[in-house]
Amino acid sequence: MTDPAPAAVIAGVGAWVPPRVVTNDDLAARMDTSDEWIRTRTGIRSRHFAEPGTATSDLAVEAGRRALASADVHVDTVVVATITPDQQLPHTAPLVAERLGLGGAAAFDVSAACSGFVYGLAVCAGLIAAGTSRAVLFIGADTFSTTLNPDDRTSAVIFGDGAGAVVLRAGNAAEPGALGTFDLGSDGGQWELATIRGGGSRQRLAAAPFDPADEYFAMEGKAMFKQAALRMADSARIVAKHAGWRIEDVDRIVSHQANLRIVEQVAYELGVPAAHCLSNIDSVGNTVAASIPLAMADAVAKGDLRPGHRVLVLAFGGGLTWGGTAVRWPSLRLADPTLPNTRSANP
Ligand code: UT7
């Protein structure tokens, strides 16, 4: 009998957000919104914005460094999920690998918007299963504040910048931390629900005439909300079934955090207590590809995510794209007990 393919096992976690905190009142001072509206409609109180000159790779390096220290494993591959790369070329991962002293490692980016972390986990798990990689540093990082339209109060208030990372190593499917089967899906027919239209090959930045609004992110919030809750709840049922768990066996759900009400809606649709859903959206906002590992690292630091927990990991984003996987949480130590800095940086 041939040996089963190696499973990808979570061996470390780390996170980082840039120091600058932007409160709801800060936003209300420059656009027509209020702390009360943002808090009650999204659950967000503050978020972190990168200063001009700070790029996605800068955040990714900080999160990656902490995940590497947490895992103490030699990695041969670096993957970054992002839709806000430092520039079009080169992509982000080789820069991150070099700065972390991992020059020579395989390094590439994954682009799947707010589903980037789950899609990227699946890609990394595939690399490990195929024997191409023995251990991967996988980072979700975005500086989405750079895409926000200051005239669009609906989307501008929900996003923040940050990075979160895991180290995945080759192991076996029965051990704690082994990633389960993935559910991945897309619906390109609804691509117009979340867009940054300009700057690609269809609508080139140098071409005229160019609508300045196309430089920015645009979203149909209500439709995205409904799809997010529906798709993540569906993925949850599929991956829980593959794991052999009933939904009531699930201890924690860590889902992409676009809006606290979506997190709660997914819990409601699944019949899971809202308290089982991990969230730090109140202090980081929607951090796109970083949101799941940021929530994971924060929950490990606070003791909300503990060894043995049966965890569903769920994502949804533009594309449309969605996905999920299941993992029995392993014993991990954070590299620095003061990290992630998502709480301590807030008043
Ligand atoms: O991460 C990728 C996936 N993203 C998502 O899944 C995002 C999902 N969508 C959402 O989270 C929510 O739809 C938003 C937070 C974006 C918007 O919340 P909503 O409850 O859907 O608000 P809405 O767009 O339906 O607007 C309701 C009202 C409107 O006023 P009227 O027409 O009722 O008078 C808006 O003009 O709220 C108004 N409004 C605001 N008021 C104060 C919209 N944005 C704001 C604001 N401050 N920032």
Side-chain angles (χ1 to χ4, degrees):
M1 227 169 78
T2 53
D3 289 338
V9 177
I10 299 178
V13 64
W16 179 254
V17 286
R20 182 177 157 214
V21 177
V22 177
T23 65
N24 293 344
D25 284 334
D26 293 335
L27 293 180
R30 56 182 146 99
M31 66 177 76
D32 181 17
T33 188
S34 66
D35 173 56
E36 208 255 337
W37 192 95
I38 302 170
R39 258 188 306 108
T40 54
R41 304 294 273 227
T42 72
I44 300 166
R45 291 171 186 273
S46 59
R47 73 287 291 142
H48 296 247
F49 281 178
E51 297 288 357
T54 298
T56 296
S57 67
D58 300 320
L59 308 186
V61 164
E62 294 298 335
R65 196 191 313 284
R66 284 159 178 82
L68 288 171
S70 157
D72 203 17
V73 167
H74 172 73
V75 309
D76 53 33
T77 305
V78 177
V79 180
V80 175
T82 186
I83 51 166
T84 48
D86 294 16
Q87 59 275 313
Q88 285 259 40
L89 188 73
H91 48 289
T92 313
L95 307 175
V96 173
E98 179 66 21
R99 283 173 58 191
L100 288 172
L102 299 168
F108 63 95
D109 290 5
V110 168
S111 175
C114 294
S115 302
F117 193 74
V118 167
Y119 266 74
L121 279 182
V123 169
C124 296
L127 288 171
I128 288 173
T132 309
S133 305
R134 290 292 299 167
V136 183
L137 171 62
F138 173 47
I139 306 167
D142 272 299
T143 46
F144 209 70
S145 63
T146 58
T147 73
L148 299 177
N149 185 341
D151 296 329
D152 177 5
R153 64 178 179 168
T154 308
S155 60
V157 300
I158 69 174
F159 290 94
D161 301 333
V166 290
V167 171
L168 300 167
R169 62 163 174 81
N172 69 70
E175 63 179 304
L179 299 176
T181 303
F182 284 83
D183 173 58
L184 300 176
S186 76
D187 179 1
Q190 300 199 65
W191 68 273
E192 287 182 295
L193 294 188
T195 55
I196 303 172
R197 289 171 189 259
S201 55
R202 183 166 302 284
Q203 199 167 320
R204 299 171 190 201
L205 275 183
F210 186 81
D211 180 348
D214 286 349
E215 195 185 327
Y216 296 117
F217 174 73
M219 172 175 73
E220 292 189 31
K222 272 210 181 323
M224 286 293 277
F225 189 113
K226 282 187 196 143
Q227 286 290 318
L230 180 78
R231 299 301 188 176
M232 287 197 283
D234 282 349
S235 279
R237 292 186 192 98
I238 291 167
V239 296
K241 193 169 171 206
H242 276 297
W245 302 342
R246 296 169 306 165
I247 287 294
E248 51 270 41
D249 296 331
V250 171
D251 299 302
R252 294 289 182 270
I253 294 178
V254 51
S255 58
H256 170 58
Q257 302 173 71
N259 184 324
L260 186 62
R261 291 190 295 131
I262 297 177
V263 173
E264 291 168 351
Q265 182 67 26
V266 170
Y268 174 78
E269 290 193 16
L270 293 172
V272 169
H276 286 196
C277 298
L278 302 177
S279 178
N280 61 351
I281 193 171
D282 62 330
S283 59
V284 297
N286 177 350
T287 52
V288 192
S291 93
I292 290 173
L294 267 174
M296 283 175 169
D298 197 30
V300 171
K302 288 188 293 186
D304 287 350
L305 188 52
R306 296 190 291 277
H309 272 158
R310 281 164 292 216
V311 184
L312 298 183
V313 183
L314 308 170
F316 170 84
L320 304 178
T321 52
W322 59 86
T325 190
V327 59
R328 192 179 276 270
W329 197 255
S331 176
L332 298 178
R333 63 177 181 86
L334 285 177
D336 179 338
T338 65
L339 292 170
N341 59 349
T342 55
R343 300 241 153 220
S344 54
N346 280 312

